[in-house]
Amino acid sequence: MTQSLTIRRPDDWHLHLRDGAMLAAVLPESARHFARAIIMPNLVPPVVTGQDAAAYRARIMAALPEGADFTPLMTLYLTEETDAREVAAAHASGLITAVKLYPAGATTNSASGVRDFNAARPVLETMAEIGLPLCVHGEVTDPEIDIFDREAVFIDRVLDPLRRAVPGLRVVMEHVTTKDAVAYVTSEPRDLAATITTHHLVINRNHILVGGIKPHYYCLPVAKREEHRLALRAAATSGDAMFFLGTDSAPHTDPLKESACGCAGCFTAPNTLSILAHVFEQEGALDRLEGFTSLNGPAFYRLPANEARITLTKGDRVTYPSKIETGDGPVTVFDPGFALHWRVS
Ligand code: NCD
Ligand code: ZN
């Protein structure tokens, strides 16, 4: 039985670091184990220009603990006003690694997102030409569509037509939560990948709703039925290079989560790797963990894999704080609901 596993240092291809006091508190939790992360631009106001991205990157670098080896990979928040030339320039200078598409109103701080996808066409065409990936929050916002169906409907109504309209556009479907998304990614041989979060490998919608509402399990896209969780686990552990880790670690303070209108987001940065090793071991796929956390993402983003290694070892129960303190208030750490035994040594 494998009790120790050495893998290339992981990257996180979807991460919310926030800003200010929250950034200072949560950044060390990711920088400890991850070499790079795609930094989500949904600040208030959002990161829309190259100037915004450069300034945000500088704030992240300034908040890094002494000696940390962590590179933030910046993104721009696509709006209907985004300028294609500015995107191309930000990419050419190495400032940005991707552009993020939020359908307006789909999730936290997405009000400035896209309503009319035609308005974004010139930017998307430029991105296809220069090979710059588009990270997509794949949910429709139509109030008629049930929240549990919003990802599957998005594929048919928005994503597939958009990909046909802009051939060659490289797309990452972010935080996929359905067997429909897994099937769509698997059926498309080129230019389409997906990130999978840690928490969607662990929880289904019962975890949120049975026995009392659990606000710390509420995130968007919301966790679906068990059959979907199983499809995500199969995809993540399959070895298919088009699936890789994007934790979507999304901190909100406890008062904002435990509220009559609670915020969406699970904070998984502190225990993500312990949980993933547990999941991959359960699936008999520990030998595929490195692909999911450290190889498939860089391959899609056309970046080298990290040279440094980390070692995970299995032993006594891993303890971690149930919450971390931040200057804005406490933030609860995701509880997988089972004991963890894998630690990064
Ligand atoms: C994210 C956040 O809080 O910024 N929330 C979430 O539930 N995942 C936004 C997002 O990625 O949808
Ligand atoms: Zn997110």
Side-chain angles (χ1 to χ4, degrees), residues 235-265:
T237 59
S238 67
D240 184 332
M242 290 305 174
F243 295 98
F244 42 87
L245 175 65
T247 66
D248 194 18
S249 182
H252 295 276
T253 62
D254 285 353
L256 292 174
K257 293 285 295 174
E258 299 165 8
S259 139
C261 183
C263 291

Side-chain angles (χ1 to χ4, degrees), residues 6-311:
T6 297
I7 60 173
R8 284 178 190 260
R9 209 152 162 244
D11 302 304
D12 185 348
W13 299 97
H14 181 129
L15 177 64
H16 299 271
L17 287 177
R18 316 301 190 202
D19 215 341
M22 184 66 87
L23 167 64
V26 301
L27 177 59
E29 301 295 335
S30 288
R32 189 169 297 138
H33 301 314
F34 292 93
R36 297 170 290 198
I38 287 274
I39 309 302
M40 286 296 124
N42 62 334
L43 303 181
V44 188
V47 178
V48 290
T49 65
Q51 225 175 9
D52 296 339
Y56 187 29
R57 184 171 68 180
R59 295 198 297 279
I60 295 168
M61 296 311 287
L64 269 178
E66 243 345 269
D69 178 12
F70 178 80
T71 304
L73 303 174
M74 307 309 292
T75 60
L76 291 184
Y77 184 120
L78 184 65
T79 73
E80 290 175 18
E81 282 75 50
T82 300
D83 180 53
R85 281 159 309 179
E86 183 166 7
V87 168
H91 173 246
S93 71
L95 174 62
I96 61 163
T97 305
V99 170
K100 174 76 189 217
L101 167 63
Y102 291 100
T107 188
T108 309
N109 304 336
S110 61
S112 324
V114 175
R115 274 182 187 79
D116 172 9
F117 289 88
N118 277 325
R121 267 288 272 285
V123 177
L124 301 179
E125 279 162 5
T126 297
M127 290 173 64
E129 274 162 36
I130 62 181
L132 179 61
L134 179 72
C135 297
V136 176
H137 183 109
E139 289 190 286
V140 292
T141 54
D142 182 344
E144 308 265 291
I145 304 296
D146 189 278
I147 190 165
F148 292 100
D149 298 332
R150 287 180 175 198
E151 181 173 287
V153 172
F154 182 87
I155 297 168
D156 292 339
R157 277 202 197 165
V158 182
L159 185 56
D160 195 60
L162 186 144
R163 293 186 56 247
R164 305 283 155 228
V166 189
L169 181 64
R170 312 187 67 239
V171 172
V172 183
M173 262 195 100
E174 301 281 271
H175 42 49
V176 292
T177 59
T178 57
K179 62 178 186 181
D180 312 71
V182 168
Y184 183 59
V185 171
T186 312
S187 72
E188 291 287 307
R190 295 167 53 86
D191 299 329
L192 180 64
T195 56
I196 300 178
T197 76
T198 305
H199 49 283
H200 286 115
L201 296 174
V202 174
I203 60 167
N204 63 31
R205 64 196 202 177
N206 279 10
H207 292 87
I208 311 171
L209 295 170
V210 173
I213 191 160
K214 313 291 191 317
H216 296 290
Y217 289 151
Y218 174 60
C219 68
L220 289 170
V222 69
K224 311 293 192 298
R225 289 175 180 276
E226 177 66 357
E227 62 178 320
H228 296 290
R229 185 185 74 100
L230 296 178
L232 299 176
R233 281 172 82 108
T237 59
S238 67
D240 184 332
M242 290 305 174
F243 295 98
F244 42 87
L245 175 65
T247 66
D248 194 18
S249 182
H252 295 276
T253 62
D254 285 353
L256 292 174
K257 293 285 295 174
E258 299 165 8
S259 139
C261 183
C263 291
C266 296
F267 179 53
T268 55
N271 53 8
T272 271
L273 288 174
S274 295
I275 298 171
L276 288 174
H278 182 105
V279 167
F280 275 67
E281 184 183 34
Q282 275 185 332
E283 298 289 333
L286 271 178
D287 58 326
R288 293 178 176 164
L289 181 64
E290 183 180 43
F292 183 67
T293 61
S294 316
L295 300 175
N296 301 347
F300 186 83
Y301 276 94
R302 298 175 176 162
L303 293 167
N306 299 307
E307 282 307 326
R309 306 294 202 271
I310 61 164
T311 297

